Amino acid sequence: MFYNFVKGITGWLLKILYPYEVVNMPELEDKAYLLVANHKSNWDPLFVSILFPKQVRWMAKRELFEKPILKQILQGVGAISVDRDHGDAKSTIIAMRALKKNEIVGIFPEGTRVKDVDYDRAKPGTILLASRTGTEVLPLYIEGDYKLFRKRRYIFRVPIPFEKEKLTEEEYQKRMRALMATIYEGRNYLGNTVE
């Protein structure tokens, strides 16, 4: 499989050049998960994927698929194309199908690399996927920059179970803000609020 080939070839080299520490990695069951993280670098999907024995299906911006070579790579590793500027029903359906097959879907809800934290920037589609499918969310905070021989940390927060339910637009946004506070600050997730 192309995904395992890329992961295997690059994984060992990257561990040497860009050392890292993993904190609170949960024991995963054989079921679907939504992996949700802050976004610091284009390297994030590759490095985070190395942490998981199972394939991560990353949701990636549509513009990346417009470059022929990159498109082939992204399709080869199972990435899901997303239109960030408009409601993208097709990518949502593809992600939901992946979750029904007990796959891991990875999302950077801020939609782009960020330096200044702004919870309102995060798209609520993550909460829509979690609540429509009842999928457990794995919040992950990526700490540190990608500098040669400089250690970073991948800090997992407490996994968040979701029940299948339909929410209002306001509830989606409130819960997304709460999830971002969990990722960045480690706060306990309590749905529409944080503790």
Side-chain angles (χ1 to χ4, degrees):
M1 178 184 265
F2 183 69
Y3 178 90
N4 289 328
F5 173 77
V6 172
K7 181 177 166 183
I9 290 295
T10 59
W12 66 271
L13 178 62
L14 293 176
K15 286 178 186 178
I16 296 171
L17 298 177
Y18 299 94
Y20 58 84
E21 176 186 0
V22 182
V23 180
N24 298 327
M25 177 84 176
E27 289 189 21
L28 302 182
E29 300 174 34
D30 185 20
K31 65 178 188 179
Y33 289 96
L34 269 173
L35 172 61
V36 186
N38 61 308
H39 198 9
K40 299 199 69 153
S41 165
N42 287 330
W43 287 107
D44 290 336
L46 179 57
F47 275 91
V48 174
S49 293
I50 291 169
L51 308 179
F52 288 83
K54 196 172 171 181
Q55 180 175 358
V56 179
R57 300 278 310 274
W58 289 101
M59 300 193 82
K61 62 184 179 181
R62 184 187 62 184
E63 292 84 353
L64 295 176
F65 289 79
E66 294 171 357
K67 302 171 183 177
I69 295 177
L70 190 52
K71 177 180 180 179
Q72 292 298 317
I73 294 172
L74 290 170
Q75 289 178 336
V77 298
I80 300 169
S81 173
V82 180
D83 185 342
R84 298 178 300 170
D85 300 321
H86 305 92
D88 192 343
K90 183 178 178 182
S91 66
T92 301
I93 291 170
I94 293 171
M96 290 175 76
R97 285 177 180 163
L99 294 171
K100 285 180 181 177
K101 293 187 211 174
N102 288 336
E103 296 186 64
I104 299 174
V105 173
I107 302 176
F108 299 110
E110 292 155 303
T112 187
R113 292 162 292 156
V114 297
K115 293 184 178 179
D116 301 318
V117 179
D118 179 359
Y119 295 165
D120 290 324
R121 184 183 292 143
K123 309 288 185 186
T126 301
I127 302 298
L128 183 145
L129 277 175
S131 60
R132 289 284 178 88
T133 61
T135 302
E136 189 167 336
V137 170
L138 300 177
L140 171 64
Y141 177 60
I142 301 171
E143 177 186 85
D145 296 318
Y146 292 84
K147 295 183 178 178
L148 280 173
F149 310 115
R150 186 84 55 88
K151 183 181 279 189
R152 286 172 333 288
R153 295 204 304 166
Y154 296 97
I155 305 170
F156 285 88
R157 310 303 190 187
V158 177
I160 304 167
F162 271 79
E163 299 294 331
K164 282 189 180 181
E165 59 181 331
K166 288 188 178 181
L167 305 170
T168 66
E169 291 299 321
E170 184 180 2
E171 287 171 326
Y172 283 130
Q173 198 60 56
K174 284 182 178 178
R175 293 191 184 198
M176 193 66 240
R177 284 182 57 82
L179 177 54
M180 295 310 294
T182 297
I183 291 170
Y184 275 104
E185 304 173 40
R187 297 189 192 182
N188 291 331
Y189 177 87
L190 299 173
N192 288 343
T193 60
V194 288
E195 189 176 78

